[in-house]
Amino acid sequence: MTSALHLNAVVLPGSEPTDLWIVDGVVTHEPVAGAETLVTGAFVLPGLVDAHCHIGLGVEGGVDDDTARAQAAADVAVGVMLVRDCGVPRDTRFLAEERNAPRIVHAGRHVARSRRYIRHAAAEVEPEGLVEEVRRQARAGDGWVKLVGDWIDRSVGDLAPSFPAEVVREAIAVAHDEGARVTAHCFGEQSVAEIIEAGVDCIEHGTGLDDEHIAMMAERQVALVPTLINLANFPVYAQQGAAKFPRYSAHMLDLHARRHETIGKAVEAGVPVYSGTDAGTVIKHGRTIDEIEELARVGGVEFALGAASWRARTWLGADNLSEGASADLVVYADDPRRDLSTLHRPTHRILRGVLLTDD
Ligand SMILES: [Zn+2]
């Protein structure tokens, strides 16, 4: 047994200071004799969440164990303690045993159309193989399947849905039968519309959302993880395709130009929006605070903090420092609601009840 810790702090989203104790990895609100007082008058966030992250993925596909460890540590360093993996080509479950790695909700491999995604990243199938592949990935993951809903189709020179809508509908139903939720990468208008209508549970990026489908998401409480810091790269993707695929390039620039408006409308409509960085290939690990700052631009500071902490944790089935919950939390001297830059200066990070150090 490790020695018990005591904290006196405002636990967000609350506003009154409370006392909590940490013993044997879990939180209790009952005083523990002999506990060491770590802080008084502090502010605590339930461990941050990266709801779209790829620990174990690099630009060349799956990375080795040490690289995956370093990616995980970079996320933990900024206070991320829960990750929804959004597809990796290798098994990263060894990280569950490691001190400096967040909890990970695994999604198996991305499921993409053959030759229509980043090379070496996805399980690639043709439409006739989609349903079986989704079933396989549903069984491999922790309750999530990741579909690549659209990508550039070189034969049309623009974004296009990866799979026919009817096959996607059947695949989503199979995932649900297997007890898994389905999320889909969607940049353009057509794929996001078809996939929402097909009963998906979550949308990644969502730049092609129109008012009608935003309303549908709000009504069905379909989640949205926009990954705003990745959307900021659309001009780079547009530039890469400009010479050979001018339609695609112009399309990406248009989606980029209206991204804050589109995501802002979803927030306004009551779509549950969560913080995700898309770290893994283009985006480096450890950028969650940048994403929170971007989310604050579209929905305000309290919204952005909830999207990266307590609301996202509830969505993913994690506790928020209730009695007996795993002690996964970040401590700050000041209230991050007053100044988001406080997030860059945690005084303590505690994961599974263990006080982390930077070494
Ligand atoms: Zn991703």
Side-chain angles (χ1 to χ4, degrees), residues 82-116:
L82 177 62
V83 157
R84 186 183 56 143
D85 166 72
C86 255
V88 280
R90 58 154 297 175
D91 183 13
T92 53
R93 288 183 195 272
F94 73 96
L95 290 168
E97 307 298 321
E98 306 216 350
R99 168 192 172 102
N100 229 354
R103 295 174 184 284
I104 303 177
V105 177
H106 297 268
R109 303 190 68 172
H110 304 70
V111 182
R113 181 75 174 263
S114 312
R115 294 174 301 283
R116 291 268 307 277

Side-chain angles (χ1 to χ4, degrees), residues 267-278:
V267 172
E268 183 81 3
V271 174
V273 172
Y274 302 111
S275 176
T277 63
D278 210 355

Side-chain angles (χ1 to χ4, degrees), residues 112 131 188 277 340:
V131 168
T277 63
L340 267 184

Side-chain angles (χ1 to χ4, degrees), residues 214-225:
I214 286 172
M216 206 178 280
M217 286 180 82
E219 189 197 321
R220 299 179 182 177
Q221 289 294 285
V222 174
L224 174 64
V225 182

